Amino acid sequence: MKMPLGWAKEFAKFECTPHEYAERMTMSGSKVETYECEADQIQNVVVGKILSIVPHPDSDHMVVCQVDVGQEEPVQIVTGAGNLKVGDLVPAALHKSLLPGGKEIRKGKLRGVASNGMLCSLSELGLTTHDFPNAIEDGIMVLDEEWPVGTPIVKALGLDDVSVDFEITPNRPDCLSVRGLGRETAATFGVPFLDHVPQVKPGHGDVNDFLKVEIENPDLCYRYVGAVVENVRVKPSPRWMRERLRLCGVRPINNLVDITNYVMLEYGQPMHCFDYKYVNGGHITVRNAHPGEEIETLDGVERSLSPEMLVIADEKGPIAVAGVMGGEFSGVYEDTTTIVFESAMFNGPSVRTTAKKLGMRTEASGRYEKGLDPNGCLRCLNRALELVQLLDAGDVVNGVVDVWTQKREERKVLLRPEMVNKLLGTQLEKQQMIDILLPLGFTMDGDYVVVPSDRWDVERDCDIAEEVARYVGYNKMPSTIMTGVASARPTERQSFREKMLNTLVGYGLYEVETFSFFSRKAFDAINLPENDPLRNAVVISNPLGEDTSIMRTTALPSVMDVVARNYNARATECAVFEDATVYLPHGGPDELPDEVESVVLACYGQDYDYLALKGVVEKWLETAGVEKVHYVRNAAGTTYHPGRCADIYVGDQKLGVIGELHPTVLANYGVKPRVVAAELNMDVLFENRGGTAMFRPLPKHPATTRDLALVADLSVPAAEIADRIEKAAGKLLESLTLFDVYTGEHMAEGKKSLAYNLVLRASDRTLTDEETDNIVHKVLKSLMEIDVVLRS
């Protein structure tokens, strides 16, 4: 919202610099984004008077002018304009002057004749004929008012006012007006608020003879006020109005249109005027659009309407889209003789929906969306009629048509000083609070604060406290310690998750984060079978594209994209993981999917093979305190390499999978080195986590070690051998380590050698050789059941 300071001073008489004004208004809650003055772009340009004009000796189209600029001697300026005559007052840019756009003017010679400046046109001053209708576009600007020579042109043309740009929050639509900001200014500077009550002089006739108004949908139109003006005289607006509109960023058009824009800026209420001859039957109906109806709006576009849209219609059809824009024949034209002024209040959400569907957000729709005050409709209409009489723009017909379906009742909020002080941490007296509220338009009814109808955002103690706080000064509020106990601790699941992810980082893996959606092509990239349940994915109804069309049911493709990107960047090794959410649909299409937390690891490089990653996973599970973990060979051979993959189980629950990726998958991603990966279900991991780690004292008795070199078929998993050793050795087995695997030339075909180190210890005694031999005997006996024997 832009507001000229000169206009604001009509509502509050204050004196300060623009910088001070911006600071104080911001601190009182009306944030100033920036301020600017047109005069800052125009320097050393003054009012000059043409004393003489003679032809240029060496040019057919240029003339040499002697110009009085208020100095001791006239200034000679050469120009090519042909619209000047002796005695004209013109803008003269002198030597070392500055024009809008950063253009500098210096003295020089034009075809051998000295020129000590430049005479300016409208465009060179950053103006148009909308700002000065009596000027010409293709010549030097000639002032139509008398000004002393030497007067700065910014003063003569009214370019010396400051325009302040405010950022208005959605809860303060009352400040989308000069009147509202003027009230805030008065309260901020402690001066009286000079409100203006529009006064319409008696006219002629009766408006009811011209106009009839009906509201068919009172839920979308709360109030509609109409008035009629006859014998309209369309002409340019006076200069003071044009200046204010320009400083607010609105282009002046003609007196009638400018009046509606001026009132909108002054009071915040959008208005519209209709040419009466296009209001068929003089009958206006506010209704929903009929199916199949269309309207050509003022911008010349034919638009299709739908039944949920509210329109202003006459007896033949729509003439405006309510709260958004008028129809093609709803404006003011040169042959217009009678107009209808409209001041109405529409439902904000309805206006927003209509504007979005039609793709035409306007200044009016932006204001209605925020919720305006229906109680102000009549005041705004009276202000427009007052300006019509002031500008002699037409003859006002007596009376108004006022259809009011939903009145906004007065709201009262009990003033509780103790609650306000508690919220703010202050010790203010009740009267101090009242003294702050009264200048803002609030009144008191006993202990109740009567809220103005345009302040719908004030409802509770906290709203009253906010009003008090911003005028006490946020920078002056005392610092207080919070009362009560504020406890915000992570849940057990959050703490567990953080611990497990930090553990992976400690193992040297880098965490990555990818999107939760991808393309169905990702399933093909990881060789997922056509009948795999993971191919049943949630389809996004409005995807950004085919590559982001479904929610992922596995995060492996996402992590492999990261691996491939690192490989293509020539990274010699890569070890990454992602704590990902996957979405598994169940039930019908209207049911929400199950969201499962999955941790995916993927590595390649010299230090990463299957056993290395398996070691990382085992230590990770050990950190989680998970027990009874066992590995089952997975020879499916689709996503993972057949024979180099295992499913991980905790008891009977599947925790995940670990293995080397299938060569076809690596080829699909363009990755040449072997990649090992693991997919682990964090939900299952959390469910089977161990309890609090208990301290165990250091052992008092020595351990006994035995090394077993075993021979087994290649098809027997090492994990199965380890499980049998642990079960046979029992509680006296302290640790078991596989330290060698051999399949060389001295082994029989189809056989492999595995060497295990067993550490045996009892907590209450030193084990004897006999006890140790018995344990080893039990182990070997158990292994013989799967044809695993000692290596000879």
Side-chain angles (χ1 to χ4, degrees):
M1 171 69 191
K2 288 186 175 182
M3 179 185 70
L5 286 185
W7 198 352
K9 289 180 179 180
E10 284 194 1
F11 294 93
K13 301 298 183 183
F14 64 95
E15 293 297 333
C16 66
T17 64
H19 181 73
E20 181 184 354
Y21 179 82
E23 281 194 339
R24 294 185 64 174
M25 289 296 288
T26 297
M27 291 307 298
S28 66
S30 302
K31 182 183 177 184
V32 175
E33 283 288 322
T34 184
Y35 61 88
E36 60 182 353
C37 180
E38 293 172 303
D40 295 338
Q41 302 182 56
I42 303 175
Q43 298 176 14
N44 203 23
V45 182
V46 300
V47 175
K49 184 175 183 179
I50 305 295
L51 300 179
S52 67
I53 303 174
V54 298
H56 191 288
D58 194 25
S59 174
D60 293 335
H61 68 278
M62 288 194 288
V63 294
V64 180
C65 302
Q66 299 298 320
V67 185
D68 182 3
V69 293
Q71 299 177 0
E72 293 182 1
E73 299 290 334
V75 174
Q76 179 172 292
I77 297 178
V78 178
T79 180
N83 65 309
L84 298 178
K85 63 181 184 298
V86 174
D88 283 345
L89 295 178
V90 294
L94 306 180
H95 176 54
K96 294 183 177 180
S97 60
L98 181 68
L99 295 179
K103 183 179 181 180
E104 295 185 10
I105 304 298
R106 294 179 176 271
K107 63 183 180 181
K109 289 186 177 181
L110 292 175
R111 296 214 177 170
V113 177
S115 181
N116 297 311
M118 183 180 78
L119 303 183
C120 301
S121 66
L122 272 176
S123 60
E124 288 163 338
L125 294 172
L127 303 169
T128 68
T129 52
H130 290 285
D131 304 309
F132 288 89
N134 296 329
I136 61 174
E137 285 187 290
D138 56 352
I140 301 301
M141 180 182 186
V142 178
L143 277 64
D144 53 7
E145 297 179 2
E146 289 294 326
W147 285 93
V149 293
T151 301
I153 199 66
V154 293
K155 181 178 180 181
L157 298 183
L159 306 179
D160 54 348
D161 200 353
V162 176
S163 176
V164 182
D165 195 355
F166 289 88
E167 179 186 333
I168 307 301
T169 54
N171 67 313
R172 292 300 306 275
D174 60 299
C175 286
L176 288 171
S177 65
V178 177
R179 178 176 178 268
L181 289 172
R183 182 172 56 196
E184 294 289 321
T185 299
T188 299
F189 287 86
V191 297
F193 174 50
L194 306 176
D195 200 4
H196 172 70
V197 179
Q199 300 292 331
V200 182
K201 299 174 183 177
H204 68 281
D206 185 350
V207 69
N208 294 295
D209 296 334
F210 292 83
L211 188 64
K212 179 183 178 183
V213 175
E214 288 183 274
I215 298 177
E216 289 188 0
N217 191 339
D219 293 330
L220 298 185
C221 180
Y222 309 140
R223 190 178 188 184
Y224 193 100
V225 188
V228 176
V229 177
E230 285 193 299
N231 306 319
V232 299
R233 296 172 278 280
V234 182
K235 55 186 177 181
S237 301
R239 179 175 147 180
W240 60 267
M241 181 176 282
R242 300 196 308 267
E243 286 177 2
R244 289 180 174 179
L245 291 175
R246 184 183 72 249
L247 287 170
C248 291
V250 177
R251 186 184 70 177
I253 298 176
N254 59 53
N255 53 356
L256 294 171
V257 175
D258 291 350
I259 284 173
T260 61
N261 288 330
Y262 188 88
V263 173
M264 179 182 69
L265 294 169
E266 187 174 34
Y267 287 94
Q269 168 73 49
M271 294 189 65
H272 193 71
C273 54
F274 299 97
D275 190 328
Y276 184 74
K277 66 174 172 288
Y278 294 116
V279 181
N280 291 283
H283 185 188
I284 287 179
T285 304
V286 185
R287 60 170 173 81
N288 289 80
H290 296 155
E293 277 191 322
E294 294 184 343
I295 185 174
E296 185 174 345
T297 47
L298 278 172
D299 55 4
V301 178
E302 189 79 24
R303 303 182 188 275
S304 298
L305 304 173
S306 52
E308 73 275 7
M309 298 178 183
L310 195 70
V311 297
I312 312 299
D314 59 14
E315 292 182 350
K316 287 189 176 181
I319 58 175
V321 182
V324 183
M325 186 181 286
E328 180 188 15
F329 299 107
S330 67
V332 177
Y333 305 93
E334 291 183 0
D335 61 344
T336 299
T337 58
T338 303
I339 62 169
V340 176
F341 272 117
E342 163 199 282
S343 177
M345 185 55 53
F346 307 107
N347 175 269
S350 171
V351 172
R352 176 176 173 80
T353 300
T354 298
K356 286 190 68 176
K357 285 189 175 182
L358 295 178
M360 49 188 300
R361 297 288 298 279
T362 62
E363 181 74 20
S365 69
R367 291 169 181 268
Y368 279 120
E369 289 170 9
K370 294 175 176 63
L372 301 178
D373 178 20
N375 295 6
C377 290
L378 182 57
R379 178 183 61 220
C380 296
L381 185 65
N382 285 336
R383 176 59 169 157
L385 297 177
E386 180 185 48
L387 288 171
V388 167
Q389 293 177 334
L390 178 66
L391 305 186
D392 190 30
D395 300 328
V396 175
V397 175
N398 286 324
V400 297
V401 177
D402 188 356
V403 181
W404 199 343
T405 62
Q406 294 187 33
K407 295 188 178 182
R408 181 173 288 181
E409 299 297 333
E410 230 174 36
R411 179 185 295 146
K412 294 183 179 181
V413 180
L414 178 63
L415 178 59
R416 299 190 293 173
E418 69 284 355
M419 181 58 69
V420 173
N421 282 325
K422 182 178 180 181
L423 290 168
L424 301 179
T426 55
Q427 298 295 327
L428 298 174
E429 298 293 334
K430 179 179 179 180
Q431 190 57 47
Q432 290 177 279
M433 299 179 187
I434 293 174
D435 291 341
I436 289 173
L437 295 172
L438 292 180
L440 294 173
F442 299 91
T443 57
M444 297 300 299
D445 183 4
D447 291 332
Y448 285 86
V449 178
V450 182
V451 181
S453 59
D454 59 353
R455 289 300 308 275
W456 57 268
D457 58 312
V458 178
E459 299 178 306
R460 298 177 293 275
D461 292 311
C462 57
D463 301 320
I464 297 294
E466 182 181 1
E467 297 300 306
V468 172
R470 63 193 184 96
Y471 280 97
V472 169
Y474 293 115
N475 56 332
K476 298 177 183 178
M477 301 295 290
S479 299
T480 57
I481 299 175
M482 290 180 62
T483 58
V485 178
S487 177
R489 297 185 179 88
T491 64
E492 186 179 359
R493 173 64 182 263
Q494 290 171 332
S495 298
F496 178 78
R497 175 182 177 275
E498 183 178 6
K499 172 186 174 183
M500 299 311 295
L501 299 186
N502 287 340
T503 299
L504 290 176
V505 173
Y507 291 157
L509 282 77
Y510 288 87
E511 184 175 6
V512 300
E513 187 172 353
T514 61
F515 291 120
S516 296
F517 35 75
F518 52 41
S519 167
R520 290 192 179 277
K521 297 176 183 177
F523 297 138
D524 298 328
I526 63 171
N527 271 2
L528 206 63
E530 290 296 331
N531 59 348
D532 196 295
L534 292 180
R535 283 187 176 268
N536 179 25
V538 175
V539 179
I540 300 173
S541 59
N542 56 341
L544 298 174
E546 196 279 331
D547 290 340
T548 56
S549 59
I550 61 173
M551 303 301 294
R552 64 186 176 190
T553 56
T554 169
L556 183 61
S558 305
V559 175
M560 279 305 300
D561 284 336
V562 176
V563 171
R565 195 175 303 117
N566 278 268
Y567 176 74
N568 292 331
R570 300 189 179 183
T572 56
E573 65 177 31
C574 174
V576 297
F577 74 93
E578 179 176 9
D579 178 39
T581 301
V582 296
Y583 303 84
L584 306 178
H586 70 279
D590 296 331
E591 297 218 12
L592 293 175
D594 291 329
E595 297 186 20
V596 178
E597 186 177 359
S598 174
V599 176
V600 179
L601 298 77
C603 313
Y604 73 79
Q606 183 178 358
D607 296 331
Y608 294 102
D609 57 12
Y610 174 81
L611 293 177
L613 184 61
K614 184 170 180 286
V616 169
V617 172
E618 287 176 342
K619 283 294 183 183
W620 194 59
L621 299 180
E622 185 180 312
T623 302
V626 177
E627 299 178 352
K628 299 179 180 178
V629 178
H630 61 280
Y631 298 80
V632 178
R633 175 178 291 182
N634 183 337
T638 54
T639 299
Y640 291 89
H641 196 295
R644 299 178 187 172
C645 172
D647 293 329
I648 307 173
Y649 285 88
V650 180
D652 296 331
Q653 282 186 286
K654 185 175 180 180
L655 175 62
V657 62
I658 181 172
E660 184 180 310
L661 291 181
H662 198 286
T664 304
V665 174
L666 299 181
N668 291 338
Y669 284 96
V671 178
K672 292 183 178 180
R674 292 182 177 183
V675 176
V676 288
E679 300 172 71
L680 303 165
N681 189 315
M682 184 69 91
D683 298 327
V684 175
L685 186 69
F686 179 73
E687 183 181 339
N688 292 275
R689 69 194 183 283
T692 304
M694 302 298 292
F695 170 75
R696 289 192 299 178
L698 291 174
K700 296 179 180 180
H701 301 280
T704 300
T705 62
R706 289 287 188 274
D707 290 341
L708 298 179
L710 306 172
V711 177
D713 291 338
L714 288 174
S715 61
V716 177
E720 185 177 350
I721 296 174
D723 286 343
R724 284 185 169 269
I725 293 174
E726 290 175 353
K727 290 178 181 178
K731 295 182 179 180
L732 294 179
L733 181 65
E734 185 175 90
S735 68
L736 175 68
T737 305
L738 174 65
F739 65 88
D740 183 56
V741 178
Y742 179 69
T743 57
E745 58 179 283
H746 298 294
M747 295 301 302
E749 186 176 351
K751 298 291 184 178
K752 62 182 175 181
S753 172
L754 302 97
Y756 288 91
N757 174 257
L758 286 70
V759 178
L760 304 169
R761 191 196 306 265
S763 62
D764 58 347
R765 66 188 186 280
T766 300
L767 293 176
T768 64
D769 289 342
E770 183 180 356
E771 288 179 296
T772 305
D773 292 340
N774 287 335
I775 293 173
V776 172
H777 178 73
K778 288 181 180 179
V779 168
L780 294 176
K781 185 178 179 181
S782 175
L783 293 175
M784 288 179 64
E785 295 176 2
I786 56 173
D787 294 329
V788 176
V789 297
L790 275 174
R791 181 176 178 182
S792 57

